[in-house]
Amino acid sequence: MAVADAELLVEVTGAVATVVIHNPARRNAMTAAMWRQLPEVLDRLEADRAVRALVLTGADGTFCAGADLGDLDELLDAGDASIAVEAEERLAAFAKPTVAAIRGACVGGGCQLAVACDLRIAADDARFGVPPARLGLVYPAPTTRRLTRLVGPAAAKHLLFTAELVDAERALRIGLVDEVLPADGLAARVDEITAAVAARSQLTVAAAKEIIDGRADADRIAWWHGQVRASGEAREGVAAANERRPARFTWTPPLT
């Protein structure tokens, strides 16, 4: 993908896709075009059967400083039906594991995207904030609920009421991120996590994500158990453990 002033850059290496938020002139703020681009990118990567995990990160040592305020009127007019919420919901519903690799500012719309990922791994220079109270805005209800489920009501209220920036260590304490490490170790740790995810049974991973996210009803859970019986994944896993070798898992989602 050619580099432009503001766009999402996509690279697929092996089983891992990396989506880079690229708008360095504005600290990687998300423009309206970028919000619209994200669901299209995710649709394409979800359909790519070789992709087993997705990393979302920002260019030049900054994750994302939020939504581009030049598009504010469009976002305000749409309310909870905005292109930003649509992009967030598509990211949250992405069928494969997602990891936000966070350096520098992760504020507003950037925090919105990070919270929609399954895991958040932060460098020790990361800073997090939810600033609608500085601007007189109402944070979207789906976004507010997702943040509250992640960090709890008290921490969500602190972030929303004060609009204060919190550092990576505080973000770790309140559950906003899963790990914090030195900036020069971030990429290696994200590679380690995504390599582990890619090597595991994709049946287990996909089922776990659906169930944890509350998207699997009783019929769907029974379907997943049927997939275990039909696929041979468990037999391969047990055999590999007994033979002290890496498992060779082969299950892929049925074509729809």
Side-chain angles (χ1 to χ4, degrees):
M1 181 179 292
V3 176
D5 288 340
E7 65 176 335
L8 302 177
L9 307 178
V10 181
E11 179 181 354
V12 178
T13 303
V16 180
T18 300
V19 177
V20 180
I21 304 168
H22 183 273
N23 187 7
R26 305 200 65 166
R27 295 200 304 157
N28 298 331
M30 290 283 291
T31 64
M34 293 165 75
W35 287 117
R36 291 190 180 93
Q37 185 186 0
L38 183 57
E40 298 171 1
V41 166
L42 295 174
D43 287 347
R44 186 168 72 250
L45 294 174
E46 189 170 85
D48 186 341
R49 296 169 74 83
V51 171
R52 294 188 165 196
L54 181 143
V55 176
L56 180 67
T57 194
D60 298 343
T62 297
F63 186 75
C64 174
D68 190 321
L69 295 182
D71 301 315
L72 184 60
D73 286 344
E74 180 176 354
L75 297 176
L76 288 178
D77 289 345
D80 281 358
S82 73
I83 53 176
V85 175
E86 180 183 352
E88 172 197 356
E89 293 293 319
R90 182 64 187 90
L91 178 59
F94 191 71
K96 303 167 188 182
T98 55
V99 181
I102 304 165
R103 287 201 61 191
C106 180
V107 178
C111 200
Q112 183 177 0
L113 291 173
V115 168
C117 290
D118 296 312
L119 300 173
R120 285 150 296 282
I121 312 300
D124 54 12
D125 64 0
R127 297 294 181 270
F128 301 84
V130 186
R134 291 184 185 274
L135 303 169
L137 306 176
V138 175
Y139 210 41
T143 311
T144 302
R145 295 186 186 110
R146 183 169 285 114
L147 176 66
T148 303
R149 288 195 298 269
L150 183 63
V151 302
K157 287 174 181 177
H158 175 266
L159 290 168
L160 280 160
F161 292 178
T162 69
E164 289 180 345
L165 290 179
V166 300
D167 63 18
E169 289 301 327
R170 178 159 185 170
L172 181 63
R173 288 198 303 272
I174 66 175
L176 185 56
V177 300
D178 301 291
E179 295 184 31
V180 173
L181 58 165
D184 60 4
L186 179 64
R189 179 58 178 147
V190 170
D191 287 348
E192 184 178 42
I193 291 171
T194 53
V197 168
R200 304 301 184 239
S201 168
Q202 297 305 292
L203 191 161
T204 302
V205 170
K209 178 162 179 170
E210 274 197 14
I211 294 167
I212 292 168
D213 289 349
R215 292 184 286 111
D217 60 14
D219 288 341
R220 182 65 171 178
I221 292 170
W223 182 87
W224 281 117
H225 287 300
Q227 288 291 296
V228 172
R229 293 189 294 271
S231 66
E233 291 281 276
R235 288 187 292 275
E236 167 58 18
V238 171
N242 289 336
E243 296 166 15
R244 298 185 179 181
R245 61 169 173 81
R248 295 182 290 270
F249 294 118
T250 60
W251 182 89
T252 55
L255 293 172
T256 56

